[in-house]
């Protein structure tokens, strides 16, 4: 069973606009959520995270929003840049059992 | 130099062969993980280790085994490879000393094809 879902396999946006990537989860025991970015032929790299005690975390152009009641999180990138083009994975974990689950990924393309 | 190094980067082999994928890290992290990535499924955890004497099964451990030879080394073995083990394999590390949940740091992956 896929406990973390990214329902959009791809997203295309224009440079300078906002990119919004979405993620849903089913396990209410998850208490830590992360976004990873992956370029071809490289491993995923950590981008930003949020604890379940918060509903928003910002880091420069990247903001993650968490809606626990809806079991939904999103990553906003603004303004989007061509270098942001990559596959973005959403992940969720629980501190007690260290079981991190990943979504299937969303391929973001930012057009110049 | 990469902090998490996986070898080989690519491997093509035949059904029934024994395969070992190796991972070494210079980050000094206690925790190490093996994942596989398949199209449309994201990354799935195979095995993880919290220290040299600790080995735990992940979500999809059947058909795999691991060895934690030292803090810096964690190897994944396929005793008798089968075609549905064709995938991209990633090793990762994390540091529990920073407290609570921590992000994992990934190697660049091993692309394994089993014919």
């Amino acid at each position: 069973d896929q406990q973390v879902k990214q329902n959009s396999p791809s997203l295309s946006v224009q440079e300078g606009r906002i990119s919004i990537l979405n993620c849903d989860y089913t396990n209410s025991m998850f208490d830590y959520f992360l976004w990873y970015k992956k370029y071809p032929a490289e491993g995923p790299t950590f981008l930003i995270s949020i604890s379940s005690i918060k509903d928003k975390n910002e880091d420069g152009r990247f903001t993650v929003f968490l809606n626990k009641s809806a079991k939904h999180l999103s990553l906003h990138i603004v303004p989007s840049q061509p270098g942001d083009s990559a596959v973005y994975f959403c992940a969720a974990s629980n501190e007690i059992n260290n079981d991190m689950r990943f979504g299937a990924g969303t391929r973001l393309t930012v057009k110049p | 130099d990469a902090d998490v190094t996986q070898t080989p980067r690519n491997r093509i082999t035949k059904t029934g062969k024994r395969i070992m994928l190796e991972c070494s890290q210079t980050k000094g992290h206690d925790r190490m993980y093996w994942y596989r990535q398949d199209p449309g499924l994201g990354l799935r955890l195979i095995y993880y280790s919290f220290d040299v004497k600790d080995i735990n099964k992940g979500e999809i451990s059947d058909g795999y085994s691991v060895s934690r030879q030292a803090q810096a080394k964690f190897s994944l073995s396929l005793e008798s490879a089968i075609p549905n083990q064709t995938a991209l394999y990633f090793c990762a590390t994390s540091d529990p000393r920073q407290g609570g949940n921590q992000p994992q740091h990934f190697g660049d992956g091993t692309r394994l094809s089993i014919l």
Side-chain angles (χ1 to χ4, degrees), chain A residues 31-32 36 41 43 93 95 98 103, chain B residues 9 33 42 100-101 104 107-108:
Chain A
D31 58 9
Y32 183 59
Y36 286 85
S93 72
E95 182 178 2
N98 202 58
Chain B
R9 292 296 313 277
Y33 311 81
N101 286 297
Q104 295 177 13
D108 285 338

Side-chain angles (χ1 to χ4, degrees), chain A residues 3 6 25 27 43 59 65-66 71-72 76-79 87-88 103 105 108:
Chain A
Q3 298 185 28
Q6 293 176 256
Y25 62 96
N27 188 340
D59 184 1
F65 295 92
L66 175 63
K71 294 190 177 66
H72 178 83
H76 292 209
I77 307 173
V78 56
V87 176
Y88 289 79
L108 173 66

